[in-house]
Amino acid sequence: MMDRHVVAGIDGSRPGLAAAEWAAAEAEARGTALRLVHVAPPEPVGRPAPRGADAWRLGAERMVRGAVAEITRRRPDLDVVGEQATGAPAAALAAACASAAPLVLGTRGLGGFEGLALGSVALELAGRAPCPVVLVPAARAGEEKEPEVVLGLDARRPAAGALRYAFETARRRGARLRAVHAWSLPAPYAAPWAPYEVLEEERGAWEDQEVQLLDDALHRWREEYPAVPVLADVRLFSPAEALVKASAGAGLVVAGRGGGPGVALGGVPHAVAHHARCPVALVPDS
């Protein structure tokens, strides 16, 4: 995975340009090239091209050249190439995944409406691409993030793909890794109409069990990456809520995607992709 290009899909939107900048930093950290890919709609079949199509195409080419030039100006040692593809955006960008590690996208593009958190292309590729997909929101002016990578982890079923991606990213960045494991009270106590109150000693015993589960899930990876500082973070929330809360102080959230290529995005990664306050890396199971 480490010798592949970082690929970013761009369309001139603010999230698309933020994705290109994030991808450039990632490519530089990995020591690989960066490919910026713009997808143009296919030519109409059986009817003339719409008025202004040629001017639109020239404008798109200028946008790609401008993005390449700007990144090259800021990072002169980075190998950056711009490409134009034609077709349905999700299908064309999926074709780039063979060389992508990861594929980087803005959370939404030029379509959609104000307030839309996640566009249709990003949503489809996040669930179906065979490589890790990083979703980057438009940058918020003046917002500073800690150099922390947050990993969402089910300690009972740890996803090796997400674990390796998170530890590798933290190692490259010299960042702390916060491993977040969410848990809930047993069924008799979880419902709002539960007839019994949870005793403090019971809750403490249950939480100790969850902490031990998380430590066990992290043990092998701590040994493999001894230079990465790890904070085990057990939270009494739903998994999605725990990760969204943790994202407020993070530079990147990493979560397993579940399923496999061609499988729609599951409930927890879907919610995190919509509501996280920082870029989100969704990693297929390995």
Side-chain angles (χ1 to χ4, degrees), residues 73-249:
R73 182 184 68 81
R74 294 183 184 182
R75 305 176 188 274
D77 295 330
L78 182 63
D79 182 10
V80 187
V81 295
E83 299 178 11
Q84 291 269 26
T86 302
L93 289 169
C97 287
S99 67
L103 172 66
V104 185
L105 303 170
T107 49
R108 54 169 288 192
L110 293 172
F113 51 87
E114 187 64 30
L116 180 68
L118 195 62
S120 59
V121 173
L123 180 61
E124 180 175 349
L125 284 165
R128 299 180 181 276
C131 67
V133 174
V134 178
L135 303 174
V136 181
R140 293 180 173 89
E143 186 175 28
E144 296 295 331
K145 294 291 188 180
E146 295 180 14
E148 180 174 80
V149 175
V150 169
L151 167 66
L153 183 64
D154 180 349
R156 289 174 171 78
R157 291 175 292 276
L163 275 156
R164 185 168 297 282
Y165 190 96
F167 271 88
E168 282 286 349
T169 302
R171 180 190 61 78
R172 281 195 305 271
R173 296 184 177 191
R176 182 176 69 181
L177 176 64
R178 178 186 294 270
V180 176
H181 168 63
W183 70 287
S184 58
L185 297 173
Y189 301 96
W193 58 84
Y196 306 107
E197 291 187 7
V198 179
L199 299 177
E200 195 61 36
E201 57 266 29
E202 289 180 320
R203 173 174 167 162
W206 293 329
E207 188 165 27
D208 288 345
Q209 291 176 357
E210 301 298 324
V211 170
Q212 187 60 56
L213 282 170
L214 181 55
D215 283 342
D216 291 344
L218 293 170
H219 178 73
R220 165 200 163 188
W221 302 92
R222 279 173 156 154
E223 288 191 333
E224 188 170 343
Y225 294 89
V228 174
V230 179
L231 175 62
D233 189 351
V234 173
R235 301 193 177 198
L236 185 57
F237 289 118
S238 71
E241 186 179 9
L243 286 179
V244 170
K245 287 180 179 294
S247 75

Side-chain angles (χ1 to χ4, degrees), residues 240-267:
E241 186 179 9
L243 286 179
V244 170
K245 287 180 179 294
S247 75
L252 178 70
V253 168
V254 179
R257 195 181 66 198
V263 177
L265 201 60

